[in-house]
Amino acid sequence: MSADPRESSVRDLLAANLKAARARQNMSLSRLARLSGLSKATLSQLESGAGNPTIETVSSLARALGEPLTHLLEPPARRGMAVVRAAELTPLTGEGACLRQYGRIESGGLVCDLYEQRIGAGERQECPVREGTEHAVVQAGRLDLFVDGYRVGLGPGDYVSFDAALPHGYAAPDGPVRSVLLVNHRAGGRGATATSADGRSASMNSLR
């Protein structure tokens, strides 16, 4: 039996998860509007599945609710197995990029949020700071990463990790870029410091 395409719609997933998150916290629409900086009209549209959510909008909602961004976008569990079809995912757009959220991996108290990120030629995306370690692997194109005032250029197959609590952003200086992002943190705890592929602490000086 084929999957319902609505299952992977960002609008539909956000609408259902947003209402569920408000219900869990017994939070009114007015309070969420104050905490997120979004209007009640916008929130009503999002909860009805008629809004047009962006990366910035969903990040604001996640901060206001005190929940990971992926909690607002992930589909219901599928009996111990998750199959995500790329063709059925609706990209979440931002100032210069779009994200496809593939899901969340939890193991041994470690939580990993998995995304595909695409940045248009000449575009730049400023990212929300968050607890944890952010990892990026470039699949195609040249990616510029900016972390706390430092810049590093990455090509296909290159990998980088850094403390996601630092101000950071991505840019595509030469052409379109496709990369995989993974953000990991301890469930219910504070974020870890950035580590390199062999487990050593990563120095921001290496990003000059």
Side-chain angles (χ1 to χ4, degrees):
M1 183 175 65
S2 61
D4 182 355
R6 289 177 61 84
E7 225 175 43
S8 295
S9 163
V10 167
R11 292 186 183 89
D12 296 327
L13 289 174
L14 179 60
N17 292 333
L18 184 55
K19 285 185 284 189
R22 281 208 306 114
R24 284 195 302 271
Q25 300 188 31
N26 193 27
M27 183 182 293
S28 69
L29 206 63
S30 297
R31 177 167 173 75
L32 181 56
R34 289 196 301 271
L35 293 175
S36 66
L38 301 171
S39 69
K40 287 179 64 176
T42 296
L43 294 177
S44 294
Q45 283 189 321
L46 293 175
E47 288 199 353
S48 69
N52 186 26
T54 65
I55 295 172
E56 293 77 19
T57 297
V58 180
S59 295
S60 295
L61 290 171
R63 285 194 300 270
L65 291 164
E67 298 200 10
L69 185 147
T70 46
H71 277 187
L72 297 178
L73 298 175
E74 63 189 1
R78 294 185 178 90
R79 296 181 180 270
M81 180 179 72
V83 177
V84 181
R85 306 293 185 187
E88 296 171 0
L89 290 177
T90 302
L92 184 66
T93 59
E95 294 175 355
C98 69
L99 287 178
R100 286 178 169 84
Q101 187 261 324
Y102 280 93
R104 160 167 287 209
I105 305 163
E106 299 187 47
S107 178
L110 187 66
V111 178
C112 300
D113 299 324
L114 180 64
Y115 308 88
E116 181 196 57
Q117 176 177 257
R118 297 191 182 209
I119 304 177
E123 299 290 342
R124 174 165 173 162
Q125 177 69 46
E126 299 297 334
C127 302
V129 296
R130 47 197 164 188
E131 293 185 342
T133 305
E134 187 156 338
H135 308 259
V137 179
V138 179
Q139 296 176 295
R142 171 182 164 77
L143 179 69
D144 275 2
L145 167 66
F146 300 86
V147 179
D148 200 26
Y150 296 100
R151 180 187 67 82
V152 61
L154 302 166
D158 288 348
Y159 160 82
V160 67
S161 67
F162 56 92
D163 186 349
L166 296 171
H168 61 282
Y170 295 93
D174 301 328
V177 175
R178 187 175 76 251
S179 60
V180 172
L181 303 183
L182 187 145
V183 183
N184 62 358
H185 54 90
R186 290 288 172 185
R190 297 188 62 84
T193 56
T195 56
S196 63
D198 61 5
R200 296 174 298 182
S201 294
S203 167
M204 288 301 103
N205 289 331
S206 67
L207 299 175
R208 288 175 183 248

